[in-house]
Amino acid sequence: MSGLRLEVWPTASDAIASAAGIVTSRLAANPGLVLGLATGSTMVPFYRRLRHAHAEGRMSLAGAAAFGLDEYAGLPDDDPASFRNYLRRHLFDGVDLPLERIFLLDGGTGDAASECRRFEAAIAAAGGIDLQVLGIGTNAHIGFNEPGSAFDSRTRPVELSEATRAANAGAFAGRVVPRRALTMGIGTILGARELLLLATGRGKRAAVAGAVDGPIGPSVPASALRLHPCATIVCDAETARDLVKTTP
Ligand code: GLP
């Protein structure tokens, strides 16, 4: 039996509002919340909502901590396409999360293996992740765990698929998209106490249908959410149209 909860909203904006509401309510209950944070275009309006909630005094991250889900390998920190830069621009610059409680993978490191060990140790030292926010790739990847990633995988260097590199090319404005990345593993993600996956738009239909209705296994990384005791997929009706198990 899957513990996966599915929320289907009429519009993307409703779905985003609900996902942001889950974060603010978890923070209200636990100001020391340890968050895991995804990137991607889906998350841009989600982070905008969190920034607004903060600006309006409805949400504070002053006692919280945050771990970045993944990062490209070989990009300097200040590269506009790095996820470090993305999270700074879309979230950190507009909220009160203390810098010393922001933990990001250093994709520019020459020693990826020890960087990944350092990151896993930092998650453990923080007491684990309370709420991991996820997007989903069109091939159902979570983080940069491409199809084939083991469900017990930990933070590690990975090769990106051509599909993922093509999907993410926009952020690189004609430059070459890195071929490698560092990512929390699926096992690392499953170790979070709660998972929240946000998917909007028709482009994610097949990926979400595979995750919710298909066989559970490494060929569909997001299907791992069905093995977690407290996971929610929040999506809009457009994304949910191909779902068998839930009628929007
Ligand atoms: C990247 C990130 C994922 C994210 C995915 C979807 O590959 N590594 O964490 O879920 O993109 O991004 P988008 O929301 O732009 O479709």
Side-chain angles (χ1 to χ4, degrees):
M1 261 287 281
S2 165
L4 182 66
R5 201 170 70 86
L6 187 63
E7 279 187 16
V8 181
W9 291 90
T11 68
S13 149
D14 296 328
I16 288 157
S18 174
I22 291 174
V23 174
T24 52
S25 78
R26 296 300 180 271
L27 271 166
N30 174 15
L33 196 75
V34 180
L35 281 160
L37 299 175
T39 58
S41 54
T42 311
M43 296 298 158
V44 171
F46 165 78
Y47 290 132
R48 189 182 308 129
R49 277 204 165 255
L50 293 184
R51 291 198 316 271
H52 283 170
H54 174 66
E56 289 171 359
R58 290 184 285 110
M59 183 204 81
S60 171
L61 289 162
F67 286 85
L69 176 63
D70 50 11
E71 182 58 279
Y72 292 106
L75 288 186
D77 276 4
D78 58 349
D79 191 291
S82 75
F83 289 163
R84 175 180 299 261
N85 209 314
Y86 170 107
L87 285 170
R88 189 171 54 68
R89 249 186 359 259
H90 292 293
L91 185 66
F92 301 150
D93 280 355
V95 293
D96 55 352
L97 188 61
L99 276 180
E100 68 275 14
R101 287 204 295 277
I102 296 174
F103 301 91
L104 301 173
L105 283 157
D106 175 8
T109 178
D111 185 352
S114 69
E115 172 60 5
C116 293
R117 279 195 300 274
R118 178 197 70 81
F119 193 74
E120 287 276 343
I123 294 174
I129 292 173
D130 292 309
L131 176 60
Q132 174 65 56
V133 177
L134 297 165
I136 187 169
T138 48
N139 62 1
H141 72 233
I142 48 175
F144 270 137
N145 293 284
E146 299 282 28
S149 300
F151 279 8
D152 61 357
S153 53
R154 309 303 304 186
T155 305
R156 68 201 188 290
V158 291
E159 296 254 321
L160 300 179
S161 70
E162 287 312 309
T164 296
R165 294 181 65 232
N168 291 6
F172 287 86
R175 293 184 299 146
V176 175
V177 181
R179 293 190 159 72
R180 295 184 65 77
L182 307 185
T183 184
M184 280 188 205
I186 296 186
T188 316
I189 292 168
L190 290 176
R193 284 179 272 280
E194 181 174 5
L195 305 180
L196 171 62
L197 187 150
L198 176 63
T200 55
R202 59 183 305 155
K204 300 296 168 65
R205 251 183 221 169
V208 170
V212 172
D213 292 322
I216 298 176
S219 61
V220 183
S223 67
L225 268 72
R226 281 152 64 198
L227 302 177
H228 193 279
C230 186
T232 305
I233 295 182
V234 178
C235 64
D236 60 354
E238 181 81 346
T239 308
R241 242 177 60 181
D242 291 345
L243 295 184
V244 174
K245 287 192 180 142
T246 304
T247 315

